[in-house]
Amino acid sequence: MRGVKLFIAAMMVAGILLVSGCKIKEEYKFAQPVSSITSIEIVYVSREKSSK
């Protein structure tokens, strides 16, 4: 019975951490106004050095 109580308590703590962690929202601050964006580029950067 003690194991069941410990499991329930652990699930409650995990649930509280999950719910509180999901509500954190940080708004990204752009250097320029969003209306001045003319293009979006996706760049892939690898840390591996090529053997060429």
Side-chain angles (χ1 to χ4, degrees), residues 5-24:
K5 289 182 181 180
L6 183 61
F7 177 76
I8 292 172
M11 288 294 112
M12 290 175 67
V13 169
I16 291 170
L17 291 175
L18 179 66
V19 170
S20 66
C22 292
K23 291 188 177 188
I24 296 173

Side-chain angles (χ1 to χ4, degrees), residues 2 5 7 12 16-17 19 22-23 26-27 32 40 44 46 48 50-51:
R2 183 175 180 222
K5 289 182 181 180
F7 177 76
M12 290 175 67
I16 291 170
L17 291 175
V19 170
C22 292
K23 291 188 177 188
E26 186 174 325
E27 189 173 327
Q32 301 292 327
I40 297 174
Y44 174 75
S46 174
E48 298 176 14
S50 62
S51 59

